[in-house]
Amino acid sequence: MLNWLQRFNIFCLLDSNDYNLTPHVYEYLVGAGCADSLDGTVDNFPAVDAFLSNNQWTFGHLSYNLGLALHSMPSQKEDRLGFPSFFFFKPEVVLYIKRDRLHIDCPWSDEVYQQIMTCSEQGTVGAMDLQVQHRGSEEAYLQTVKLLQEHLRRGDCYEINFCQEFFSEQAVINPAAAFQALSLVSPNPFAAFYKLEDRYLMCASPERFLNREGDRLLSQPMKGTASRVTGDEGADLAAATELSLSQKNRSENVMVVDLVRNDLSIVCEEGTVTVDELFGIQTFPALHQMVSTVSGTVGSGASFSEIITATFPMGSMTGAPKQRVMELIEKYEASNRGIFSGSVGYISPEGNFDFNVVIRSMMYNAISGYFSYQVGSGITVYSDVDKEWEECLLKAGSIRSLMTGTPLQNESAP
């Protein structure tokens, strides 16, 4: 499938990696080729509603820059990757696996099947030979977190997600091989391999942003992280239990839950927004994560653009209150987030949709050779600055393991 997709300039591959999280529809979903598309800035974002009105499969992304513009604060930082603020496309071919059966949705499905079956398999994937730099330093990161805690103490905000970038210039990589390697070391339920001309996203996200099934909207904010203990089942269970009881992680999580409840209430019927699960623990290959679930009944008149305007960017990647922390993110982060902490997903012909949170991801511009990944953590007044740095290294561990060179001196970190 990966080799077959290379013939297209635009495609989006979404892989659940056999996680059966609720709600769950497709094991694997692909939109390949572009029959029609829409992109732009916040000014023409409402045009997406007309674009979706003919009830066809649609795939695409929302960048963090769109979120900034929706909140009237366009980023002043250089965008080195070049993903537009948003992009949606109607594919020429749709493929999905549902209940162990492959479906090919296009007039020439037999030909597509034969093309896929005759493609040679991907070769063995080795480490990427990249020397990655940190945009800043550990010391600068620690000092910035302390400054953010001063804002927290003054009551400017309650929690803020602060991110940092690692990058390589003039990089030459095979994006399909890189995605395959990332999927092997970090299989996650909202993985995505997305190509937009010469720009690539290789995503191993564990987090759902927003799902719609019928009139039900559901969001699953993720806040709280603990490392797995491999080879020791008892210690691993203890790590998960410790995470579930952590007051620091609970305080982060509940603040984001309150923010999501507020966002959903803008477009959901009054009194229907509920917290279905609070402080749930989900376990992934390298990490335990604290995840809550919030849902509501969407109002009959709410359009896709109105739903996104009310809820994006997701609270888990901003903090609370959203407007103020986005101002602080723009002030203190050194890099343009771009598609990172944005979202990739699909809208079905019935109007249902599912979008992830773009984290644990590599981004690449094949023309400029710019390669990037970003990591972050939620900062509260109770945060230990050294542990926040270690959490960033932990979250970047799977990506760093794919490279022959790393930018960090603390190689003993997880």
Side-chain angles (χ1 to χ4, degrees):
M1 177 68 76
L2 288 174
N3 280 352
W4 175 78
L5 283 173
Q6 302 314 303
R7 67 192 66 198
F8 298 100
N9 289 328
I10 296 172
F11 62 74
C12 182
L13 180 158
L14 306 171
D15 190 356
S16 73
N17 281 298
D18 296 323
Y19 285 86
N20 194 23
L21 302 180
T22 302
H24 178 79
V25 180
Y26 305 104
E27 305 301 327
Y28 191 86
L29 176 63
V30 177
C34 181
D36 194 10
S37 67
L38 175 72
D39 68 345
T41 63
V42 68
D43 294 330
N44 72 325
F45 183 60
V48 73
D49 297 323
F51 187 71
L52 298 175
S53 63
N54 59 359
N55 301 321
Q56 292 179 299
W57 282 102
T58 304
F59 294 74
H61 82 268
L62 309 163
S63 82
Y64 182 77
N65 290 338
L66 173 68
L68 283 172
L70 289 171
H71 289 263
S72 302
M73 56 177 90
S75 178
Q76 303 303 312
K77 301 182 179 75
E78 181 182 359
D79 182 357
R80 298 173 176 87
L81 289 161
F83 285 93
S85 291
F86 71 90
F87 182 86
F88 289 101
F89 72 99
K90 295 179 173 38
E92 297 170 349
V93 183
V94 173
L95 307 97
Y96 59 90
I97 294 176
K98 187 175 181 180
R99 289 189 282 274
D100 297 325
R101 177 166 295 190
L102 172 65
H103 300 254
I104 302 177
D105 187 356
C106 77
W108 52 94
S109 57
D110 289 342
E111 180 181 347
V112 169
Y113 180 75
Q114 291 302 319
Q115 288 173 355
I116 294 171
M117 296 306 293
T118 55
C119 275
S120 59
E121 293 185 7
Q122 189 75 30
T124 302
V125 179
M128 292 185 290
D129 187 14
L130 293 178
Q131 295 297 320
V132 179
Q133 304 174 61
H134 180 203
R135 195 169 296 284
S137 65
E138 179 180 354
E139 180 60 30
Y141 170 85
L142 298 177
Q143 290 301 318
T144 302
V145 171
K146 291 175 182 177
L147 290 174
L148 292 173
Q149 287 182 315
E150 289 301 314
H151 286 281
L152 291 159
R153 291 187 184 96
R154 290 199 297 265
D156 293 343
C157 55
Y158 310 109
E159 186 265 344
I160 180 169
N161 187 276
F162 178 57
C163 298
Q164 53 186 320
E165 183 190 23
F166 302 89
F167 69 98
S168 180
E169 297 177 304
Q170 299 181 338
V172 177
I173 69 169
N174 179 331
F179 174 71
Q180 185 183 27
L182 182 61
S183 297
L184 289 171
V185 299
S186 185
N188 278 300
F190 298 100
F193 184 31
Y194 179 49
K195 178 184 181 182
L196 181 52
E197 303 292 351
D198 297 298
R199 290 147 290 183
Y200 294 86
L201 169 71
M202 296 140 281
C203 174
S205 176
E207 184 175 1
R208 169 181 276 133
F209 161 44
L210 196 63
N211 171 278
R212 178 173 185 169
E213 285 191 357
D215 63 357
R216 185 171 185 253
L217 279 181
L218 179 144
S219 183
Q220 293 180 301
M222 180 177 287
K223 272 296 169 190
T225 304
S227 180
R228 297 288 306 276
V229 183
T230 57
D232 189 332
E233 185 176 347
D236 191 47
L237 179 60
T241 302
E242 182 179 358
L243 173 63
S244 71
L245 299 176
S246 165
Q247 289 304 310
K248 185 261 186 187
N249 286 297
R250 283 187 169 219
S251 65
E252 282 187 46
N253 195 284
V254 77
M255 281 187 280
V256 174
V257 166
D258 283 342
L259 187 152
V260 172
R261 289 172 60 201
N262 180 70
D263 287 352
L264 290 183
S265 69
I266 297 171
V267 290
C268 288
E269 294 178 359
E270 185 176 353
T272 65
V273 176
T274 60
V275 179
D276 304 304
E277 183 180 28
L278 188 63
F279 308 143
I281 300 297
Q282 293 180 3
T283 295
F284 302 99
L287 303 171
H288 300 291
Q289 301 276 187
M290 183 178 287
V291 184
S292 294
T293 300
V294 186
S295 68
T297 301
V298 65
S300 59
S303 67
F304 179 81
S305 68
E306 289 171 336
I307 293 170
I308 296 303
T309 298
T311 58
F312 187 76
M314 61 290 297
S316 62
M317 293 305 296
T318 58
K322 188 182 288 188
Q323 181 78 20
R324 181 54 176 146
V325 295
M326 290 177 70
E327 293 170 354
L328 294 174
I329 287 168
E330 182 63 15
K331 178 179 179 180
Y332 286 103
E333 288 187 3
S335 302
N336 187 312
R337 288 192 181 185
I339 197 172
F340 173 75
S341 77
S343 186
V344 171
Y346 73 89
I347 303 106
S348 74
E350 299 79 23
N352 297 325
F353 58 74
D354 211 358
F355 282 82
N356 73 359
V357 178
V358 176
I359 52 176
R360 322 289 161 83
S361 300
M362 301 180 288
M363 287 74 69
Y364 178 58
N365 186 311
I367 295 296
S368 67
Y370 193 80
F371 172 90
S372 170
Y373 66 91
Q374 297 196 40
V375 290
S377 64
I379 308 301
T380 72
V381 71
Y382 303 109
S383 293
D384 180 311
V385 294
D386 293 314
K387 288 184 178 179
E388 295 297 338
W389 171 255
E390 291 171 4
E391 181 175 325
C392 289
L393 301 191
L394 175 63
K395 290 175 177 176
S398 295
I399 294 175
R400 291 177 60 221
S401 71
L402 305 180
M403 301 174 192
T404 56
T406 68
L408 306 173
Q409 295 179 349
N410 185 7
E411 291 299 319
S412 63

